[in-house]
Amino acid sequence: MNITRENIDALNAVVKVDIAKEDYSDKVEKILSDYRKSANIPGFRKGHVPMGMVKKQYGKAVLVDEVNKLLQEALGKYLTEEKLDVLGNPLPKPQEDLDWDADSFSFEFELGLAPDFEVDLKSKKPITHYNIVADDKMIDNQVEHIRKQYGKIISQDTVAKDSEITGVFENEEKGINNTTTITLDKFKGKSTEKQFVGAKVGDVITLKTKGLFNDDHDLMTYLKVSHDNAHGLDIEVNFTINEINTRELADLDQELFDKLFGKGNVTSVTELKEKIKVDSEKQFAQQGDQKLLNDVTEYLVDNTKFELPAEFLQKWMQTAGEETMDAEQAKEEYEKSEKSMRYQLIEGKLIEKYDLQVNFEDLKAHAKDMIKAQMAQFGQMNPSDEELEGIASRVLSNKDEVKRMSEQLMSQKLLNLYKSEANLKTKKITYDDFVKEFYG
């Protein structure tokens, strides 16, 4: 067998594989001999079928199968030994005149080669890492929310500004029929509030969905419509009032503190507010980190310049998926996925350059942390090491779960790399301002 490569340019190559008779003949003969021993052909005793008949009936199929196996093994070994970093998979060049009656065969494969480039994390303009803080207003709102949540429910005859209204949103044509509980502060504008204030159980209020809520995503929550249908939804819905309640705020006393945080862990309103601040800012830190990850990713994709073998990749995409595509569909798909391809290559370069690895001990520790957090939600605060080991072992036996955790850990390692190596500036911002600035 002989394998040669012709580099078309820096991103494209053609590999030629020549297979001679001696490369496959012994394997083909052995398989046909085994067939002969077990073949059941009318008129012949088992094991006594003439070899010529076996070759006539099975020879071509066995030859094709063995040559293809040999071809794939040889090509895979060649790519590994030559350390060729290919994109997609090798594409066989069509051969309309392939003669399977010949003794030797030649096959050609097109390769798309990964580009050679460098990654620079030091942007000229610093990238902002947002330190999201819980301000007094947000903490006070959270305290009031807790007092409402644990307060006493009092039935009302008519709707007031602070009422909790339970009812049904309906629109027969759009298949909307959802029972929900809502407060008037969710609605946008004073006109909707005026329709509700003074209404009674059994009243039906007709509302227009366009601009109904402060946040259009609330259409998904309260009307149970899909994300796609929520955007631009402009119909009328009826809301039938079934129940009207208000809440008497819970007292900020030791009984409430113990119910929220366990006996004696919080003993004053000051400690309650500090606890809310610390817990909130832990969650906010994750959002700030995700924003940083997104911003650095965008910077790297936009500022790391290299070419891709676009023509090859589009050709490869035509047959790579579950369903084949024509050239136009493949071009469209390539344009949609080019950015993510670029980042995957950049990420791979960073992983190699900074030797970022996820090992078994990392996965095991991560699994245990996840398990402890989940158990804590159900009041199991101090699981034993033996218990954690057993559950972690079961989790790590699931390949899909291991893949998911590996991706999470690598994402965290990349985030830590960006924090230490990228040109960053820190900006303190309240949660409300952060949401307004980036989510409108």
Side-chain angles (χ1 to χ4, degrees), residues 364-402:
K364 191 174 179 181
H366 184 60
K368 286 184 176 182
D369 287 342
M370 281 186 0
I371 293 160
K372 280 194 283 189
Q374 289 170 0
M375 292 176 81
Q377 291 178 0
F378 296 96
Q380 293 176 266
M381 306 305 293
N382 296 300
S384 66
D385 286 341
E386 186 179 350
E387 204 173 0
L388 287 173
E389 284 282 343
I391 300 172
S393 295
R394 288 197 294 275
V395 170
L396 294 172
S397 67
N398 184 319
K399 289 182 180 178
D400 291 337
E401 195 64 26
V402 169

Side-chain angles (χ1 to χ4, degrees), residues 196-306:
F196 275 91
V197 172
K200 298 179 180 180
V201 170
D203 286 353
V204 179
I205 296 171
T206 301
L207 304 163
K208 288 189 174 181
T209 56
K210 188 175 181 181
L212 180 60
F213 296 107
N214 292 310
D215 183 350
D216 281 343
H217 288 91
D218 282 344
L219 290 167
M220 297 161 59
T221 303
Y222 293 109
L223 274 64
K224 282 290 182 286
V225 294
S226 68
H227 184 275
D228 290 341
N229 290 335
H231 286 285
L233 186 67
D234 188 6
I235 60 171
E236 284 190 346
V237 290
N238 290 328
F239 184 84
T240 304
I241 299 174
N242 292 337
E243 193 177 327
I244 307 166
N245 296 303
T246 189
R247 285 186 185 258
E248 185 180 274
L249 298 182
D251 292 331
L252 292 172
D253 55 17
Q254 194 59 48
E255 182 183 352
L256 179 62
F257 301 154
D258 290 347
K259 193 180 290 185
L260 290 168
F261 303 109
K263 193 169 180 63
N265 290 318
V266 170
T267 59
S268 67
V269 174
T270 301
E271 288 181 13
L272 169 66
K273 289 185 175 183
E274 184 58 31
K275 178 71 173 163
I276 290 170
K277 181 178 175 65
V278 170
D279 290 348
S280 297
E281 289 181 355
K282 275 184 186 176
Q283 294 180 15
F284 298 162
Q286 294 174 4
Q287 294 185 52
D289 284 349
Q290 186 59 54
K291 181 74 172 72
L292 175 64
L293 200 58
N294 294 344
D295 288 347
V296 175
T297 298
E298 191 170 334
Y299 159 76
L300 290 172
V301 170
D302 290 344
N303 292 277
T304 307
K305 304 299 181 184
F306 54 83

Side-chain angles (χ1 to χ4, degrees), residues 3-6 13-17 75 78-79 84 107-111:
I3 303 180
T4 55
R5 181 174 85 247
E6 179 189 357
V14 173
V15 169
K16 184 179 180 185
V17 183
L75 189 59
Y78 175 80
L79 295 179
L84 290 177
F107 302 90
E108 290 186 335
F109 293 85
E110 295 178 62
L111 303 182

Side-chain angles (χ1 to χ4, degrees), residues 4-185:
T4 55
R5 181 174 85 247
E6 179 189 357
N7 290 328
I8 308 301
D9 55 39
L11 299 173
N12 295 276
V14 173
V15 169
K16 184 179 180 185
V17 183
D18 295 318
I19 296 178
K21 186 174 182 178
E22 56 266 25
D23 296 321
Y24 62 82
S25 58
D26 288 348
K27 287 185 180 179
V28 170
E29 286 296 324
K30 184 179 185 309
I31 291 170
L32 291 175
S33 295
D34 291 341
Y35 274 15
R36 185 186 179 212
K37 292 173 187 176
S38 58
N40 286 312
I41 296 178
F44 297 95
R45 284 185 297 146
K46 191 174 181 179
H48 290 77
V49 180
M51 193 61 175
M53 185 174 284
V54 173
K55 285 185 177 181
K56 185 176 180 181
Q57 189 162 349
Y58 301 109
K60 185 69 66 66
V62 171
L63 170 67
V64 171
D65 190 46
E66 286 306 307
V67 168
N68 278 324
K69 283 182 188 174
L70 191 62
L71 188 59
Q72 296 304 319
E73 288 171 7
L75 189 59
K77 186 179 178 183
Y78 175 80
L79 295 179
T80 302
E81 289 177 349
E82 294 293 311
K83 297 180 180 177
L84 290 177
D85 192 0
V86 297
L87 302 179
N89 291 317
L91 283 178
K93 295 185 81 170
Q95 285 182 277
E96 294 179 5
D97 57 347
L98 182 60
D99 181 11
W100 286 104
D101 292 322
D103 288 336
S104 58
F105 310 98
S106 290
F107 302 90
E108 290 186 335
F109 293 85
E110 295 178 62
L111 303 182
L113 304 177
D116 187 26
F117 61 94
E118 293 297 323
V119 183
D120 184 9
L121 284 171
K122 300 290 186 185
S123 57
K124 291 180 181 178
K125 183 181 177 182
I127 297 169
T128 303
H129 185 202
Y130 291 92
N131 175 21
I132 308 169
V133 297
D135 61 354
D136 291 341
K137 180 186 173 184
M138 192 220 129
I139 293 169
D140 289 340
N141 287 340
Q142 188 64 23
V143 170
E144 185 175 358
H145 174 74
I146 290 169
R147 294 183 72 190
K148 280 184 179 179
Q149 185 180 354
Y150 289 89
K152 183 181 177 183
I153 297 175
I154 300 171
S155 179
Q156 292 179 298
D157 294 326
T158 59
V159 175
K161 285 186 178 183
D162 62 349
S163 295
E164 292 181 0
I165 310 150
T166 300
V168 185
F169 278 108
E170 292 177 290
N171 179 295
E172 189 175 342
E173 184 184 345
K174 295 292 183 180
I176 295 169
N177 187 302
N178 188 54
T179 301
T180 189
T181 298
I182 195 165
T183 53
L184 296 182
D185 61 337

Side-chain angles (χ1 to χ4, degrees), residues 293 343 347-348 350-352 354-359 362-363 366 402-418:
L293 200 58
Y343 182 66
E347 186 181 274
L350 289 170
I351 289 170
E352 181 183 5
Y354 292 95
D355 193 26
L356 304 180
Q357 303 291 332
V358 174
N359 57 41
D362 292 332
L363 286 167
H366 184 60
V402 169
K403 182 175 182 291
R404 187 182 67 82
M405 289 194 298
S406 296
E407 288 170 353
Q408 286 179 343
L409 285 169
M410 183 52 73
S411 182
Q412 186 59 52
K413 286 177 182 285
L414 285 164
L415 177 64
N416 293 339
L417 174 68
Y418 299 157

Side-chain angles (χ1 to χ4, degrees), residues 302-321:
D302 290 344
N303 292 277
T304 307
K305 304 299 181 184
F306 54 83
E307 296 297 320
L308 288 171
E311 187 177 335
F312 168 84
L313 288 170
Q314 289 174 44
K315 194 186 294 185
W316 169 69
M317 281 179 163
Q318 288 182 251
T319 56

